[in-house]
Amino acid sequence: MFFEYEVLLPTDGSNDFGRKDPNGDWSGLVGDLVSGEVDIAVAAMTMTSEREEVIDFVAPYFDQSGISIIIRKPIRERSLFKFMEVLKIEVWLAILGALVVTALMLWLLDKFSP
């Protein structure tokens, strides 16, 4: 896992984990994650409902340490047919083909059976 990292303080000059301003912007580490200045943060940050709306928390590895890994919340597109993305299109076509063949066989057996 060869990757590079830098240890940084919040870019806005504040030394806090993140507060929501009255206008809806975030300061501190949360603000840097939301704006895309940083990709990941590791901190002893408390999980709050306001913070969970804009960032994802990873469950703490050690419960006693309180250190969490935090990433920007991914933007997911919404679709009525999201359930169809579970299987590939080839699998859906195979299921549809099997359904048609089964229906055709049942019709043929019913039509020509004594």
Side-chain angles (χ1 to χ4, degrees), residues 43-45 60-68:
M45 185 184 303
Y61 185 68
F62 295 110
D63 290 334
Q64 292 83 12
S65 69
I67 295 176
S68 299

Side-chain angles (χ1 to χ4, degrees), residues 44-97:
M45 185 184 303
T46 306
M47 295 183 208
T48 64
S49 59
E50 281 186 327
R51 289 177 180 159
E52 288 216 28
E53 290 177 5
V54 293
I55 58 176
D56 278 338
F57 288 89
V58 176
Y61 185 68
F62 295 110
D63 290 334
Q64 292 83 12
S65 69
I67 295 176
S68 299
I69 298 173
I70 307 125
I71 58 174
R72 186 176 346 125
K73 190 169 272 238
I75 299 171
R76 296 183 180 115
E77 58 183 78
R78 297 175 185 227
S79 172
L80 184 61
F81 299 104
K82 191 79 169 169
F83 69 94
M84 293 187 73
E85 294 178 8
V86 175
L87 302 175
K88 292 184 178 181
I89 189 70
E90 294 87 5
V91 176
W92 285 115
L93 291 174
I95 292 171
L96 182 64

Side-chain angles (χ1 to χ4, degrees), residues 10-23:
T11 57
D12 62 358
S14 65
N15 287 328
D16 59 356
F17 293 127
R19 289 192 199 129
K20 191 173 185 179
D21 297 333
N23 61 0

